[in-house]
Amino acid sequence: MSVDTTRISEAIAKGQMDELQAITQKALDDKVDPGTILNQGLLPGMDKVGQLWREGEMFMPEVLRSAKTMSKAMDILRPHLSEGDLGSAGKMVIGTVAGDLHDIGKDLAGMMFEGAGYEVINIGIDQPNDAFVEAAIEHKPTLLGMSALLTTTMPRMGEVINSLKESGIRDQMAVIIGGAPVTQEFADEIGADLYAPNAGSAVELTRQFFHR
Ligand code: B1M
């Protein structure tokens, strides 16, 4: 049994929550392998959303709805997935740095990574430097993401990277940073591996980084 990838892609892109849940449930009822539904249906569908967003064919409110739609379908699929199916792309810890309460961009980036098959551990806003390090020690992610929206909180990102170095775990993960005032120059300065100007490009840049 295969999945109707075109219908799934379309339902995700159009944010058709009920439709996507019905397709997912039907595929499960038809005994389609849950990993196939995820890897050949939902993940490529969300990839398409990321691509349309990067190309300016979709806008943020639509992308948010698509991410929510994907997440609703995941609620149905998750209990049927084996451990190997989940987090197949890797594990990510993501948070907003200390003193910063902005979470919309961070959550959007987290949702895009979830849509790309990452197991995402979102530690929230206003997270002290130690919280990033502790989460990295606990969850052993392949990717650590930090978001900052204020020029006054950006320096926390460099401090977290230094703490990761001091804890001897810096080399065990890639660090990606983002947020309106953040630049590539700043990322280079503090020794982050990746800078993403927007959540749509973050997944693609990360893929390129890991496959270089
Ligand atoms: Co604040 N705020 N805010 N604010 N706020 C800004 C950021 C500001 C630019 C507004 C302005 O003055 N023009 C300004 C910062 C100035 C600066 O430092 N350069 C500012 C300020 C000054 C403040 C306060 C100090 C205001 C005050 O109280 N006097 C205060 C600070 C509070 C604090 O954090 N301690 C404050 C408070 C707030 C609210 C709580 C009211 C609210 C946040 C609500 C929330 O997040 N739940 C808020 C909002 C909404 C904004 C603006 C209007 C919108 C931010 C946003 O959500 N954008 C913002 C002005 C603006 O940006 N137009 C502003 C949408 C979001 C999708 O974009 O977060 O940039 P963004 O994320 C993008 C990319 O940056 C990237 O991908 C996303 C999507 O493409 N990205 C990542 C972000 N994180 C990423 C992580 C990644 C990868 C990509 O990987 C890990």
Side-chain angles (χ1 to χ4, degrees), residues 22 27 33 35 52 64 69-70 72 78 81-82 86 116 129 143-144 162 184 198:
D33 170 51
L52 291 172
L64 280 170
T69 301
M70 161 100 184
K72 293 263 178 207
R78 198 171 286 112
L81 288 167
S82 67
L86 271 174
N129 299 351
L143 189 63
L144 181 101
N162 286 339
Q184 181 63 57
N198 54 63

Side-chain angles (χ1 to χ4, degrees), residues 50-68:
Q51 185 197 330
L52 291 172
W53 190 21
R54 284 197 300 280
E55 291 168 355
E57 299 287 325
M58 277 181 82
F59 298 100
M60 206 178 56
E62 298 162 312
V63 175
L64 280 170
R65 184 164 172 95
S66 292
K68 188 102 192 280

Side-chain angles (χ1 to χ4, degrees), residues 53 60 64 92-110 113 125-126 143-154 157 175-182 194-202:
W53 190 21
M60 206 178 56
L64 280 170
M92 176 188 212
V93 163
I94 190 169
T96 301
V97 297
D100 201 317
L101 304 177
H102 298 84
D103 67 359
I104 299 169
K106 182 251 309 161
D107 287 347
L108 198 46
F113 277 101
I125 53 170
D126 191 15
L143 189 63
L144 181 101
M146 287 182 277
S147 183
L149 264 286
L150 301 172
T151 41
T152 49
T153 58
M154 279 167 64
M157 295 172 152
V175 173
I176 180 169
I177 61 170
V182 180
L194 284 154
Y195 156 68
N198 54 63
S201 64

